[in-house]
Amino acid sequence: MARIYNPKEIEPKWQTRWEADGLYRARIDPSRPKHYALTMLPYPSGNLHIGHWYAMTPSDARARFMRMNGYNVMFPMGFDAFGLPAENAAIQRNIHPKEWTYANIANMRKQLRSMGAMFDWEREAVSSDPEYYHWSEWFFLQLYKHDLAYRRRAPVDWCPKCNTTLAREQVIGEERVCERCGTPVIRKDLEQWFFRITNYVDELLDFSQLDWPEKAALMQTHWIGRSEGAEVVFHTQQGDPIEVFTTRPDTLWGATFMVLAPEHPLVEKITTPGQKDAVEVYTREVLRQTDIQREATDKEKTGVFTGGYAVNPVNDELIPIWVADYVLMTYGTGAIMAVPAHDQRDFEFARKFGLEIRPVIQPEGAEPISAENMTEAIPAWGKMINSGPLTGTPGDQAFERTIAYLEEHGTGKRSVNYRIRDWLISRQRYWGAPIPMIFCQECGWQPVPEDQLPVLLPDDVEWLPTGESPLKLHPTWKKTTCPNCGGEAERETDTMDTFMCSSWYHLRYLSPHYDQGPFDPREYDYWMPVDTYTGGAEHTTMHLLYTRFFHKALRDMGITRGPEPMLQLRNQGQILGPDGQRMSKSRGNVIDPDEQVDRYGADVVRCYLMFGYRWSEGGPWNSDNISGVVRWINRIWSLFTEPSPTGQAPDEKEIRKLRRKVHQTLIQITRDFKEFEFNTIISGLMELLNEMYRVRELGVPATAAWSEAQEIYLKMLAPVAPHIAEELWTDVFGKPYSVHQQSWPEVDLEAAREDEITLVIQVNGKVRDRLTVPVGISEVETREAALRSEIVQKYLNGRQPRKVIVVPEKLVNIVI
RNA sequence: GCCGAAGUGGCGGAACAGGCAGACGCGCACGACUCAAAAUCGUGUACCCUCGGGUGUGUGGGUUCGAUUCCCACCUUCGGCACCA
């Protein structure tokens, strides 16, 4: 009796059965190769988004494919559960962040289960659980012990809406807005905790061990921003050294003035009494401005003369020292030598304030440069001119020879600068892992002893409308004793950046309840590193950079091993609303996955998300296109559950054709899984189904080839549509449970082989004829067959071809 | 401004070593079934055409017997960076 395809019945049925049987439990098994597949964990915002489905279900399909290929696969899931939205809910709706977070997690677990993914829920980790953040704190202490965590007063970015500092990476775009809430950040001078990610910059620039998208490596490379150059020491007339960094030491003889950042510590000292008022007015004005105003690249250069002079160490010339806000205190030394002839910014400044412009580089083949005629700086490399002893040095040697000259004379040295800053991890918020440090008036900052971890967050907290951290306001929590002298002391009330928690979650999945350390070393030895990591490209310069740093720092402490934590990375694109805009509640274009699952079933939603897009690109949700997938799934159901026509004798040729299509599809789909090309996996399965429908009418269903096709079909379907595949395999066909424990089918190359091919005949590059020829036809035979073609004869019209190109088993091009 | 990626039918997309452009699907048209509609099934579907053929993968050039694919320039869209010395 044919049944109707009813995903509402079969999907929960199998989800329950798989879970009860522990089908997806990942256990150490040294006899099998392991595969650690990881997809970025969600923030428990309350509801799963269709974007989560888009990111996770193809990852799941691929993890399932790896499992069928003999790998012992771990595919864990958890929650990045600390963070500001929980506190905002607390302030707005008077719900405790813990309550809000854990209610959301409970809901999202349910939603995640409806995907039918092979998550191993026994390995679930939640970063806001004390048993998790115990070890976030412990990692902080290890970094502190190894001098990779330190406290420093520095100008930092502050989000006035979130009431907290942010890492440089969390300030987005030219508008310099908060990564979370989009509010423009302001600059504050604060004492904060930092991690020394800059100790690892050179290693972080090495991507040779990684199979990552080039784009991701490039973004990290740009973010780190390595520049090679020289450090040169100038001296003021009073004898104070001013260090500058330059990428163009070869232009040193063209330095006609110096510029200090307004915050530079020497500004006050070198300013002469006559310039004092002007300098003070200027610096005060600059410091008043927002970063956006100050760092706008199109604004006209401003600055003021200090009255002081410095000596250029290569020619002993006195050059004026200016203060200007186009020099940033946060990069290099906060001071520059200005070479207006060869740097556009210095050029604009010099023109505006009438400072000398002196060309010292003559690029090859260019007109001789003269200061009067220049309309812009000449940044190109070239022969050194007007450069004392180095005059005449060719462009390709200028850089090295100048550095050698500086080192010989003790006035400078080779130097490398980076754009990246140390990672600011202090957050003035409640809902995060406490920074386990104690301040004692006598002993200074002291780490919390490891046996006193975790420092627990207090539950009894209140929020003031000012948005100040409740930890700071708590009456007793911060009061403690100094671990060193036993005297009265105070806890650090700042918590850690949540990126700290997510820098090691892949390690917590190894053993989420282990209490002797952050993870069980036996699990580490078997499962790490992560073999395949998938997620959004927006995490490239934050989470992914932090995670790599974390792994390398821990490796140097002997905690982790190997060069990298995540070997292979793939980024999926983004699903937009049906209007092509980013989905958001305010636009009202949000697609709710629960609704879609309710309407079509999880298998259809999974397959549509795989079929409709290039996974790496994404695109707008299209509710029309899903009907193609609905039809396809229904046609699978019908073909596999309805009786096939009988009576007709099978045709050998059709049997051969079916087997060929089956095995060709298997080859194609195997490759597509490896390459993350999910759309052609589905279209391949659609094509094969169409072929099965075709031969069904031709007596083939009574044959062994038909049974083989059905079996291979369900195995290939299993990773993408796990429920219907299981239902058909186990319940309809009565094959041994579970389809998800079957091996990936073996390709029969003989069956996949074509025995004749369509030879394309071109005349002058245009297709004129097609011939059917046997596989293995020789080049000579191919050529002759093509020339015998009537159509070719007509074009030749008795003439000899000028040239005949033969591509074996593909094409002949006859040039007349 | 700098760096990078991408532009293919009405639409999503395929073409994986430079060798049949448009697989698969949506949509549309026509047909079958039906009193009718939906669902389902079948056929067709890049454009132009005088039915010989001609044109066509953002635009213009180049390399090649042959280019969606390689090279150069430009346009558009998206992503990253942005006074980084």
Side-chain angles (χ1 to χ4, degrees):
Chain A
M1 186 61 207
R3 288 191 286 145
I4 295 291
Y5 170 61
N6 183 1
K8 277 194 177 135
E9 180 199 322
I10 65 171
E11 291 181 349
K13 177 178 86 180
W14 290 114
Q15 285 163 14
T16 307
R17 171 97 188 261
W18 296 330
E19 186 142 4
D21 296 346
L23 196 67
Y24 304 125
R25 285 287 284 121
R27 294 189 180 83
I28 293 175
D29 177 0
S31 70
R32 280 191 294 159
K34 66 92 183 180
H35 180 79
Y36 187 170
L38 185 61
T39 179
M40 289 180 187
L41 83 177
Y43 176 79
S45 58
N47 282 297
L48 223 52
H49 191 265
I50 195 74
H52 290 118
W53 275 71
Y54 186 66
M56 291 173 181
T57 55
S59 287
D60 171 64
R62 195 167 182 281
R64 290 173 174 280
F65 166 78
M66 294 303 284
R67 176 181 153 114
M68 292 177 82
N69 276 274
Y71 289 90
N72 186 20
V73 176
M74 166 157 80
F75 189 52
M77 184 44 63
F79 296 93
D80 183 18
F82 274 136
L84 258 169
E87 275 183 84
N88 292 337
I91 295 162
Q92 285 159 19
R93 291 187 262 155
N94 204 26
I95 309 170
H96 195 280
K98 192 190 253 180
E99 206 182 303
W100 184 83
T101 301
Y102 284 86
N104 288 347
I105 288 175
N107 181 46
M108 286 172 76
R109 270 192 202 117
K110 209 168 63 202
Q111 291 183 298
L112 283 163
R113 280 183 161 88
S114 76
M115 282 179 184
M118 58 172 287
F119 298 128
D120 176 359
W121 287 103
E122 302 289 316
R123 290 180 179 275
E124 184 202 63
V126 178
S127 67
S128 57
D129 285 349
E131 64 172 0
Y132 187 111
Y133 72 75
H134 178 150
W135 302 105
S136 299
E137 294 176 11
W138 183 84
F139 279 124
F140 180 97
L141 292 181
Q142 307 316 307
L143 291 166
Y144 180 76
K145 277 186 201 157
H146 290 83
D147 193 33
L148 290 168
Y150 66 96
R151 192 173 167 88
R152 177 184 70 170
R153 183 174 204 89
V156 294
D157 296 301
W158 172 272
C159 173
K161 184 163 177 209
C162 299
N163 267 299
T164 183
T165 52
L166 300 170
R168 177 65 189 84
E169 287 76 19
Q170 291 155 34
V171 179
I172 307 295
E174 195 175 358
E175 284 77 37
R176 300 185 48 75
V177 297
C178 169
E179 178 242 345
R180 263 265 129 83
C181 70
T183 307
V185 301
I186 57 175
R187 192 65 64 114
K188 280 199 175 185
D189 228 21
L190 292 171
E191 247 192 52
Q192 302 276 285
W193 291 99
F194 291 86
F195 287 160
R196 280 189 215 282
I197 193 169
T198 52
N199 277 19
Y200 285 86
V201 275
D202 284 320
E203 239 195 291
L204 290 169
L205 285 169
D206 177 8
F207 297 92
S208 61
Q209 305 299 307
L210 296 175
D211 171 13
W212 277 27
E214 256 174 69
K215 190 188 157 171
L218 204 67
M219 275 173 70
Q220 290 199 348
T221 302
H222 287 335
W223 189 262
I224 292 166
R226 182 190 155 97
S227 309
E228 287 184 34
E231 217 168 82
V232 185
V233 186
F234 286 61
H235 284 85
T236 64
Q237 272 181 302
Q238 292 83 7
D240 290 308
I242 306 180
E243 276 186 15
V244 302
F245 172 75
T246 177
T247 53
R248 291 299 299 274
D250 57 318
T251 64
L252 199 38
W253 280 263
T256 52
F257 58 101
M258 290 190 85
V259 187
L260 304 185
E263 302 91 338
H264 197 282
L266 236 42
V267 169
E268 211 183 312
K269 191 166 178 192
I270 59 174
T271 301
T272 57
Q275 292 299 103
K276 196 164 179 254
D277 287 353
V279 169
E280 270 180 15
V281 167
Y282 180 72
T283 51
R284 213 180 311 131
E285 175 63 22
V286 166
L287 297 178
R288 235 198 60 229
Q289 286 181 343
T290 65
D291 284 349
I292 312 163
Q293 291 170 320
R294 189 172 159 181
E295 291 180 12
T297 50
D298 51 356
K299 116 182 160 177
E300 199 175 328
K301 298 274 176 295
T302 60
V304 59
F305 180 43
T306 63
Y309 286 84
V311 181
N312 184 338
V314 294
N315 57 12
D316 293 334
E317 271 181 40
L318 277 185
I319 55 176
I321 305 173
W322 287 63
V323 176
D325 67 353
Y326 80 92
V327 173
L328 309 175
M329 195 58 220
T330 46
Y331 183 79
T333 61
I336 61 157
M337 64 174 207
V339 184
H342 304 291
D343 181 285
Q344 185 60 25
R345 297 156 297 183
D346 299 343
F347 180 86
E348 287 165 21
F349 194 79
R351 271 287 148 88
K352 178 162 177 191
F353 294 104
L355 296 160
E356 185 191 349
I357 295 169
R358 184 193 304 163
V360 292
I361 299 293
Q362 179 60 53
E364 212 174 318
E367 292 284 297
I369 298 175
S370 87
E372 298 77 53
N373 304 336
M374 288 176 79
T375 54
E376 58 182 0
I378 314 274
W381 294 85
K383 191 173 76 178
M384 293 173 72
I385 56 171
N386 301 324
S387 293
L390 294 189
T391 297
T393 305
D396 55 356
Q397 296 170 27
F399 183 88
E400 291 297 331
R401 298 237 337 234
T402 314
I403 286 175
Y405 179 91
L406 289 170
E407 288 179 344
E408 260 167 51
H409 290 76
T411 52
K413 57 175 199 259
R414 181 185 305 278
S415 170
V416 178
N417 243 287
Y418 300 89
R419 210 186 72 97
I420 193 175
R421 320 279 159 75
D422 274 341
W423 174 13
L424 193 170
I425 62 123
S426 303
R427 297 291 178 273
Q428 291 68 46
R429 305 302 326 167
Y430 162 75
W431 192 234
I435 294 174
M437 296 295 293
I438 294 169
F439 185 73
C440 168
Q441 288 293 345
E442 302 300 318
C443 313
W445 283 102
Q446 297 295 321
V448 173
E450 282 182 25
D451 59 11
Q452 290 174 26
L453 296 185
V455 176
L456 290 169
L457 285 173
D459 283 335
D460 52 332
V461 283
E462 279 178 67
W463 280 266
L464 295 183
T466 57
E468 238 180 312
S469 166
L471 290 181
K472 221 170 209 156
L473 306 168
H474 194 278
T476 55
W477 183 80
K478 65 184 171 188
K479 292 207 177 85
T480 185
T481 53
C482 171
N484 197 40
C485 69
E488 275 186 25
E490 283 200 354
R491 290 189 188 284
E492 170 64 271
T493 55
D494 285 353
T495 54
M496 291 184 234
D497 181 2
T498 55
F499 280 112
M500 165 82 182
C501 307
S502 57
S503 288
W504 70 281
Y505 78 102
H506 57 287
L507 298 174
R508 195 61 191 168
Y509 284 154
L510 297 170
S511 48
H513 308 299
Y514 188 70
D515 60 3
Q516 303 300 300
F519 53 83
D520 183 340
R522 285 172 311 175
E523 298 275 342
Y524 186 98
D525 290 345
Y526 182 73
W527 293 108
M528 280 295 286
V530 173
D531 296 283
T532 298
Y533 195 30
T534 60
E538 67 277 15
H539 294 107
T540 306
T541 53
M542 294 190 247
H543 164 62
L544 286 168
L545 196 56
Y546 297 145
T547 293
R548 291 181 69 214
F549 155 68
F550 219 78
H551 179 89
K552 288 165 193 288
L554 300 185
R555 177 208 56 201
D556 288 349
M557 300 173 196
I559 297 170
T560 59
R561 283 194 315 283
E564 295 284 349
M566 284 105 178
L567 301 182
Q568 184 185 46
L569 173 73
R570 291 294 181 271
N571 296 127
Q572 81 278 349
Q574 217 173 38
I575 293 295
L576 306 170
D579 54 358
Q581 301 290 113
R582 251 187 103 106
M583 281 189 201
S584 72
K585 273 185 195 148
S586 56
R587 285 199 186 89
N589 62 352
V590 174
I591 300 295
D592 173 14
D594 289 359
E595 258 174 49
Q596 302 301 321
V597 172
D598 187 53
R599 192 178 310 172
Y600 304 110
D603 282 338
V604 166
V605 176
R606 289 169 62 105
C607 290
Y608 169 63
L609 289 169
M610 291 185 226
F611 178 63
Y613 308 84
R614 244 183 292 186
W615 193 56
S616 57
E617 301 300 316
W621 175 266
N622 184 331
S623 45
D624 294 332
N625 283 348
I626 200 168
S627 57
V629 176
V630 172
R631 279 178 205 152
W632 167 61
I633 290 282
N634 276 300
R635 274 162 56 83
I636 293 172
W637 183 264
S638 304
L639 185 80
F640 283 74
T641 56
E642 287 166 11
S644 297
T646 49
Q648 193 178 341
D651 178 336
E652 278 306 318
K653 240 174 101 183
E654 296 301 340
I655 290 172
R656 170 99 181 95
K657 271 169 125 171
L658 174 64
R659 293 203 69 223
R660 184 182 297 135
K661 187 69 182 174
V662 167
H663 287 276
Q664 285 181 347
T665 304
L666 181 55
I667 291 168
Q668 178 226 316
I669 287 182
T670 303
R671 192 199 56 215
D672 289 346
F673 266 117
K674 287 184 181 147
E675 302 297 324
F676 298 82
E677 285 168 9
F678 301 101
N679 52 352
T680 46
I681 290 171
I682 306 295
S683 69
L685 288 170
M686 287 174 170
E687 278 188 59
L688 177 54
L689 191 76
N690 291 345
E691 175 68 4
M692 288 174 76
Y693 265 102
R694 191 185 68 80
V695 299
R696 185 166 84 141
E697 310 302 317
L698 306 172
V700 178
T703 66
W706 183 254
S707 312
E708 182 200 27
Q710 285 182 315
E711 189 166 323
I712 292 180
Y713 199 92
L714 291 179
K715 286 179 181 174
M716 291 194 296
L717 183 67
V720 294
H723 310 91
I724 186 175
E726 185 78 286
E727 178 73 14
L728 293 171
W729 179 271
T730 301
D731 270 16
V732 175
F733 284 176
K735 289 182 185 285
Y737 172 84
S738 153
V739 71
H740 303 297
Q741 282 168 314
Q742 304 303 312
S743 292
W744 193 247
E746 297 266 343
V747 174
D748 181 342
L749 284 174
E750 178 53 32
R753 213 196 69 226
E754 297 281 353
D755 37 34
E756 45 189 31
I757 42 152
T758 302
L759 188 68
V760 173
I761 313 296
Q762 295 183 335
V763 175
N764 289 340
K766 286 188 172 33
V767 179
R768 297 299 180 190
D769 199 5
R770 290 187 177 84
L771 302 176
T772 301
V773 296
V775 160
I777 186 173
S778 74
E779 204 171 316
V780 176
E781 286 172 308
T782 306
R783 184 191 165 97
E784 281 168 1
L787 288 171
R788 272 198 308 273
S789 146
E790 272 177 44
I791 296 171
V792 170
Q793 285 298 321
K794 200 185 79 191
Y795 275 96
L796 277 173
N797 197 16
R799 289 170 297 177
Q800 281 300 306
R802 277 204 291 147
K803 202 172 178 183
V804 179
I805 284 116
V806 178
V807 183
E809 300 194 350
K810 265 197 181 133
L811 167 147
V812 178
N813 188 11
I814 293 156
V815 186
I816 300 174

